[in-house]
Amino acid sequence: MKLGLQEKIIGSILLVSMVVSIVLSIVFYNNSVEVIENNYVSSVTDNLTVCAGIFDDVMKETYYTAVNAASDADLQQMVREYNSRTQTTLLERLNSYRSGNIESVYCYLPGQKVILKVTPSEMVEQECSETDMQWLSDVARGQENPLSPKYHTDQTELVKKRSFTYTKPIYDEAGESVVGYIMANADERDIFFGCLQGYGNFSDGRSYIATPDGRIASSTNLKSLGQQAPAAEGDVIVTKVTAPLSRYTLVTVSDRSVITGHIVETRNQIFALALLFNLMACIPILILVRRMMRPVKNLEEVMVQVGQGDLTVRAQNYSEDEIGRLSQGFNNMIQQVEDLIDALVTEKLLKKEAEIEALKYQITPHFMYNTLNSIKYAAVLQNADEIAEQLEAFIELLQLSASDRGAFITVRQEIHMVRNYVKLQMFRYANSFDVQFDVSPEIEDCYIPGLLIQPLVENAILHGIDLKRSDGVITVRVLRDNKELAIKVEDNGRGMTAEDLARLMNGERKSKFSGIGVRNVRERLQLYYGKQGNLAFFSRENHGTSAVITMPVSYDAEEYTI
């Protein structure tokens, strides 16, 4: 289906409008999504920063509890002198340190293989198995960062629960060996409810606290506790804040679709509105385009009428815009075509009249040829052979000069004409000079412009050699060098000064026979061959003159015909 200009314009406008609407919608959507995500990340980061501060405050309280208890001189003395009588006093002393966020305080005595535990529900001394002692020793070693708590599962409790623990040693009086360890514990569930769930607004995502080595320390999902934190999968937004004291990391993983879902609906609504707007715009666009196309339609109808031969019609000019100027230009063109046709008709009539007039005078050259032939035959009858030979050469020369055989002739024909011309000049000047020809047989069929060599020979006879002497020699050479043809006319005459050579090149000297001077030869070479055709003269006073013509080799008479 071929669409007209009107349909193409309407389609282009609607297409551009739709593309612009879609692009703007996409840009608006992307910008909105970016803003929402940035705001969300900023809000979550602020919440996580608050939670990280709360977490560090709890860890700081736990840390100082362990430090203060381990530095208590009375408690140190009780640990060093521990026995069944001091057990109750030591438990009470430990209980004085369990307050605030401190869920429990332990005192592990590796020498007695016992652990004293103060919890919200009990104060008890508990014997340690080998497994318990191994676990307690591992917890007591702490971590590389002393400010970072040890995250572990309490193996001494019947109900396994996870805690954040700071451990400080108690040495003997000499300060050389460890006699006990103070362990201050913060419960993981208390941290979760007081930190993540109590203060964080993370309803759109999954939040957890990770240890420095990447394990999940606190989360809604109890089964994930102690496991390595998984890598983020799918289209999610991950926000992290690291607590400056404990170096634990608080992480929130949120589904991007949940955060930006309502923006997708807005984008779809914009697309729908853009489509509706473009459909509604079709009617005013159609009206405007039809109004704009009216002068174009008129111009098209006029062009069809002109194509059918009616040159009297003209396009209406509706406005001064580009289409109006186009209509005016078309009208001017039709007027010029009409004027040219009238001029061609007139010229054709004049040419016919000239042809008829030329036929009337066609008898004149025939009369001259017949008269000269009659004189030649009379000279033959009178045994004047030399006169008859000169007349014959003159008749051929005259016929060739006045013939209409074309602008290009063969080298053979040109040399034959030059020989006839030389015969006449040698008869005229009593054989006072000699002309030599050097033409290769394979060059004789090349085509060159007629009357190209004869003016140069004539110039050599009239202005080159000294006709008063008998040693004048003119040499005509036609040579071929690959694709170039060279014609040289040389004489051993008087030569020329620089001024004479300049006048010759300007065409001030003209042939007395043909009327075709050096300037004419040069102009024809440039006309037929352009930069490939050239005429040059080389001369020194008293050393003769050499004229050189160069042109392309051609065996086709029509190759360079204009």
Side-chain angles (χ1 to χ4, degrees):
M1 178 181 178
K2 294 183 178 181
L3 299 178
L5 180 60
Q6 177 174 297
E7 289 75 15
K8 291 180 180 178
I9 293 175
I10 295 175
S12 300
I13 294 174
L14 292 177
L15 178 61
V16 171
S17 178
M18 284 298 298
V19 170
V20 170
S21 300
I22 292 173
V23 170
L24 290 177
S25 300
I26 293 175
V27 171
F28 172 77
Y29 169 75
N30 290 336
N31 290 340
S32 300
V33 167
E34 183 178 359
V35 169
I36 291 174
E37 289 182 358
N38 291 339
N39 291 338
Y40 175 79
V41 170
S42 176
S43 175
V44 172
T45 301
D46 292 342
N47 289 335
L48 288 179
T49 302
V50 173
C51 293
I54 296 173
F55 180 80
D56 266 1
D57 288 342
V58 175
M59 295 302 107
K60 188 184 300 182
E61 181 183 357
T62 307
Y63 173 79
Y64 283 125
T65 298
V67 170
N68 292 334
S71 303
D72 188 340
D74 294 337
L75 192 147
Q76 292 178 357
Q77 191 64 31
M78 294 179 187
V79 169
R80 294 176 188 139
E81 299 175 356
Y82 177 77
N83 54 46
S84 57
R85 294 190 303 273
T86 62
Q87 171 186 340
T88 303
T89 305
L90 180 57
L91 288 173
E92 292 176 350
R93 192 69 175 183
L94 291 174
N95 188 52
S96 65
Y97 287 97
R98 195 194 69 79
S99 62
N101 293 302
I102 309 303
E103 193 268 341
S104 60
V105 179
Y106 295 172
C107 180
Y108 169 49
L109 304 176
Q112 284 77 18
K113 296 183 180 181
V114 297
I115 181 171
L116 288 83
K117 302 168 62 177
V118 177
T119 67
S121 59
E122 62 180 354
M123 295 188 299
V124 64
E125 176 192 55
Q126 181 178 326
E127 293 184 1
C128 298
S129 65
E130 292 297 327
T131 302
D132 291 341
M133 293 183 64
Q134 181 65 36
W135 173 79
L136 288 168
S137 298
D138 180 65
V139 174
R141 282 197 297 269
Q143 299 186 159
E144 293 181 3
N145 180 8
L147 298 180
S148 182
K150 186 83 172 183
Y151 175 73
H152 61 88
T153 301
D154 194 340
Q155 300 292 335
T156 64
E157 293 286 338
L158 295 176
V159 178
K160 307 300 182 184
K161 61 180 179 178
R162 295 183 177 271
S163 302
F164 300 93
T165 300
Y166 284 98
T167 303
K168 293 297 178 181
I170 295 177
Y171 295 93
D172 58 11
E173 292 182 354
E176 296 178 355
S177 60
V178 177
V179 295
Y181 294 95
I182 300 298
M183 299 178 179
N185 306 307
D187 183 56
E188 178 271 331
R189 286 291 88 187
D190 292 341
I191 297 294
F192 173 78
F193 290 110
C195 191
L196 289 183
Q197 187 168 335
Y199 292 89
N201 182 18
F202 311 118
S203 58
D204 294 331
R206 301 175 296 279
S207 302
Y208 59 88
I209 300 175
T211 63
D213 59 1
R215 292 177 297 127
I216 296 178
S218 182
S219 173
T220 305
N221 184 7
L222 296 178
K223 294 182 179 180
S224 65
L225 298 181
Q227 298 180 3
Q228 199 70 22
E233 296 181 356
D235 192 14
V236 296
I237 299 175
V238 179
T239 309
K240 299 179 180 181
V241 172
T242 300
L245 174 70
S246 62
R247 309 309 299 170
Y248 275 60
T249 302
L250 284 76
V251 183
T252 295
V253 181
S254 306
D255 291 331
R256 196 182 303 270
S257 59
V258 175
I259 299 170
T260 61
H262 59 286
I263 296 298
V264 175
E265 297 178 0
T266 304
R267 180 197 61 187
N268 296 336
Q269 292 175 359
I270 293 174
F271 285 163
L273 290 174
L275 178 60
L276 179 61
F277 170 78
N278 283 279
L279 293 176
M280 293 175 61
C282 287
I283 297 176
I285 290 175
L286 180 61
I287 296 173
L288 291 174
V289 171
R290 283 186 174 179
R291 187 181 298 274
M292 292 170 55
M293 288 296 296
R294 186 183 304 167
V296 178
K297 288 288 186 182
N298 175 255
L299 184 59
E300 180 186 15
E301 293 172 358
V302 172
M303 290 176 65
V304 172
Q305 291 177 308
V306 171
Q308 294 174 352
D310 186 1
L311 299 180
T312 62
V313 295
R314 295 293 184 268
Q316 297 182 22
N317 195 347
Y318 289 90
S319 60
E320 297 297 329
D321 57 8
E322 289 81 357
I323 298 178
R325 290 193 291 271
L326 180 63
S327 299
Q328 184 62 41
F330 180 77
N331 291 338
N332 295 338
M333 183 187 68
I334 297 302
Q335 185 63 48
Q336 291 176 4
V337 170
E338 192 172 8
D339 294 342
L340 286 174
I341 291 175
D342 293 340
L344 288 173
V345 171
T346 302
E347 183 180 353
K348 190 172 183 181
L349 291 175
L350 293 175
K351 187 176 180 180
K352 275 293 182 185
E353 293 176 0
E355 290 177 353
I356 295 173
E357 191 70 21
L359 290 174
K360 295 179 182 179
Y361 293 98
Q362 197 174 34
I363 190 171
T364 300
H366 289 291
F367 172 75
M368 292 174 61
Y369 301 150
N370 293 335
T371 303
L372 290 173
N373 279 320
S374 298
I375 296 173
K376 183 185 75 171
Y377 292 141
V380 171
L381 293 176
Q382 296 295 326
N383 294 322
D385 295 335
E386 187 176 2
I387 296 175
E389 184 178 352
Q390 298 300 322
L391 283 172
E392 183 176 2
F394 179 68
I395 291 171
E396 289 186 6
L397 185 60
L398 186 61
Q399 287 177 333
L400 185 59
S401 299
S403 67
D404 58 350
R405 64 181 61 188
F408 287 82
I409 60 175
T410 63
V411 173
R412 182 185 295 107
Q413 292 170 329
E414 178 76 6
I415 294 297
H416 180 68
M417 184 184 71
V418 173
R419 288 182 187 274
N420 287 334
Y421 172 75
V422 169
K423 286 180 181 179
L424 293 174
Q425 294 296 344
M426 291 183 70
F427 177 75
R428 175 183 178 185
Y429 294 107
N431 296 322
S432 61
F433 63 90
D434 185 26
V435 179
Q436 300 175 357
F437 293 89
D438 181 11
V439 182
S440 301
E442 67 273 9
I443 303 177
E444 291 182 345
D445 292 329
C446 290
Y447 281 89
I448 62 174
L451 292 175
L452 196 66
I453 303 177
Q454 183 270 332
L456 303 180
V457 174
E458 183 176 17
N459 189 74
I461 295 173
L462 299 179
H463 306 291
I465 62 175
D466 187 355
L467 296 174
K468 296 179 180 180
R469 299 172 56 182
S470 59
D471 59 348
V473 178
I474 300 173
T475 304
V476 178
R477 291 187 176 89
V478 185
L479 308 172
R480 177 178 178 178
D481 183 11
N482 198 5
K483 295 183 179 181
E484 187 176 71
L485 190 68
I487 302 173
K488 298 183 179 180
V489 178
E490 303 171 320
D491 67 71
N492 61 348
R494 296 183 295 269
M496 290 184 289
T497 64
E499 293 77 10
D500 292 336
L501 188 60
R503 286 196 298 270
L504 179 63
M505 295 299 290
N506 292 331
E508 296 180 11
R509 293 184 180 181
K510 296 185 179 179
S511 168
K512 296 178 181 179
F513 173 76
S514 63
I516 301 176
V518 172
R519 183 176 180 180
N520 181 273
V521 171
R522 169 170 287 177
E523 289 176 352
R524 287 193 295 149
L525 286 172
Q526 293 180 351
L527 179 65
Y528 292 132
Y529 303 110
K531 294 182 179 180
Q532 293 179 290
N534 186 44
L535 169 61
F537 283 88
F538 306 93
S539 180
R540 285 195 305 163
E541 197 170 4
N542 299 322
H543 286 80
T545 302
S546 175
V548 180
I549 296 176
T550 54
M551 68 187 77
V553 174
S554 176
Y555 289 92
D556 183 1
E558 302 296 330
E559 183 176 357
Y560 292 99
T561 300
I562 299 176

